[in-house]
Amino acid sequence: MSQSARQELASLSRLEFAWKQIWRKRGAKTTPGVDGVSATTFKNERMNRLREIQSNIRDGYKFSLLRGVAIPKTDPTKLRLICIPTLSDRIVQRALVNKIEEQAEKLGLINPVSYGFIRNTENQNRGVRGAQKAACALREKKPWVFKADIAKFFDRINRKELAEKFSRQFKLRSLTPLVLGAIQCEVAESSEKIRKATIQNGIQRGRGLRQGMPLSPILSNFVLKDFDRVVGAQYSMVRYADDLLIFTDTESQCIEARKKVEEELKIIGHELSEEKSHIYSPSQPVDFLGMALARQENGECYFYVSPEQIREIKKSISEYHDISWLISQNKDIGYVLRRINFMKNGYLSAYDYASNSKDLKNQLDQAVQKCANVLYGTIFGRDSVQNISNQYRKFLMLP
């Protein structure tokens, strides 16, 4: 049985299905890993590359180092680190995720409180939308909320404990070495900037699961499954990855819930983020998964995109006003217009559940048009742009 699991994983049909999942998600925009192989190159050589992966799985697949990309945060002195696997590694890990999902019930990954990175079940929709709907329904019944955030959760996962526990419970033994190999993946410290980002983010070799790998989210659910069982049995809870909300009738119950969460996290080697964990009264909105959860006086709850979040979204679009920077990056106007419209549509899709989604659309339409106006004004002069006819303004995406 265990040998057939590896053979099945290495089948071209399984590998191609995993490749299609990756391609559907980001297509040609999928960022290359340390080997520099782009998604377009892989697509053009798909069958040869899949056969190479197939052969490597049969011989003992070895994961590559992760490519690190350091991105400035709001505070430009602080860096966020993104870890990028090679496409071959993504495919193998995606195929492993598919096999683990088939064993999800036996592994205890499916439970009533976990919504992130778990497939829908017959009686429960998962994902961001499922989590938001569940949170809305629970707050209508229990208005007080304890919002908990686990401090540096992925980076503090104990690899040894995870590997030992997963090895005991995962029954497809021939696939276990592949999963354990992914757990040990590290970032290639290719520059001083990457080294600085790893230090700033508290990333230590030999500790934690690197975010950006397809396996990390589902393995994080495995780490928290006992926590979910214990805390979820005592409180009304919704968890999505390392963000969780607990709903109670009173403030004192929220305080008790916090203590319970701290106790159970300590057992598995984690702790709360003091900065991001708070108690909210019935009249206070709670930020959850990019939106604010509010409760009206009649008890009805709804999600909306906060003014602060809208400002941040518009700011991200306005970054494309800088034509000198765009030219330095070899970007043309076609790229910019496609990019900002892609961003706009992505935000609208993510927030279509929000009560103020129509207002958000109007504001983002204006932000996109303003961006085009600024760019053309920089090139041709503001007065020239203002005198363009309505027909040409529409063609140039001007307001």
Side-chain angles (χ1 to χ4, degrees), residues 314-333 335-337 339-340 343 367-368 370-379:
K314 290 166 70 174
K315 182 181 176 183
S316 70
I317 293 174
S318 71
E319 290 174 357
Y320 288 87
H321 290 184
D322 188 347
I323 197 166
S324 299
W325 179 81
L326 291 167
I327 291 171
S328 73
Q329 299 297 309
N330 295 317
K331 306 300 183 185
D332 58 24
I333 191 66
Y335 166 84
V336 175
L337 296 180
R339 176 63 184 163
I340 60 179
M343 291 169 67
V368 167
K370 181 181 178 181
C371 187
N373 207 357
V374 170
L375 290 173
Y376 287 124
T378 303
I379 298 169

Side-chain angles (χ1 to χ4, degrees), residues 128-129 132 289-291 305 343-354 360:
V128 171
R129 185 61 47 78
Q132 289 170 336
L289 302 179
M291 287 198 280
V305 188
M343 291 169 67
K344 181 192 78 172
N345 292 331
Y347 285 124
L348 293 178
S349 175
Y351 296 126
D352 67 347
Y353 184 59
L360 175 65

Side-chain angles (χ1 to χ4, degrees), residues 275-289:
E275 180 186 354
K276 299 178 181 178
S277 301
H278 304 284
I279 291 172
Y280 295 84
S281 69
S283 62
Q284 291 178 299
V286 182
D287 288 333
F288 186 55
L289 302 179

Side-chain angles (χ1 to χ4, degrees), residues 19 22-23 26-46 49 67 84-88 90-91:
W19 155 250
I22 293 165
W23 179 261
R26 287 191 56 82
K29 296 183 177 66
T30 304
T31 308
V34 291
D35 60 0
V37 177
S38 70
T40 301
T41 298
F42 195 101
K43 184 172 184 285
N44 293 336
E45 304 168 358
R46 185 177 81 260
R49 289 188 176 274
R67 178 188 165 202
I84 304 169
T86 65
L87 271 163
S88 294
R90 286 180 196 259
I91 289 168

Side-chain angles (χ1 to χ4, degrees), residues 178-272:
L178 286 171
V179 177
L180 301 190
I183 290 172
Q184 300 302 326
C185 281
E186 299 289 3
V187 181
E189 295 187 355
S190 54
S191 69
E192 184 58 36
K193 190 176 183 180
I194 299 301
R195 283 189 286 275
K196 180 180 177 182
T198 59
I199 293 170
Q200 282 188 356
N201 287 274
I203 295 174
Q204 301 174 16
R205 284 186 170 270
R207 185 187 188 193
L209 282 176
R210 300 296 169 251
Q211 294 185 71
M213 301 192 304
L215 266 170
S216 294
I218 198 165
L219 288 177
S220 74
N221 281 335
F222 184 82
V223 171
L224 289 170
K225 68 187 185 75
D226 291 336
F227 170 89
D228 289 345
R229 176 177 53 79
V230 175
V231 180
Q234 192 169 340
Y235 295 100
S236 298
M237 182 172 85
V238 174
R239 181 179 67 78
Y240 191 101
D242 54 349
D243 290 326
L244 65 97
L245 302 180
I246 290 179
F247 302 88
T248 69
D249 295 312
T250 65
E251 182 179 14
S252 61
Q253 288 174 349
C254 275
I255 294 171
E256 292 172 4
R258 180 184 182 117
K259 291 178 181 176
K260 183 64 177 177
V261 167
E262 288 174 332
E263 289 172 5
E264 294 303 320
L265 286 178
K266 188 175 181 180
I267 291 171
I268 56 174
H270 291 274
E271 63 184 8
L272 287 175

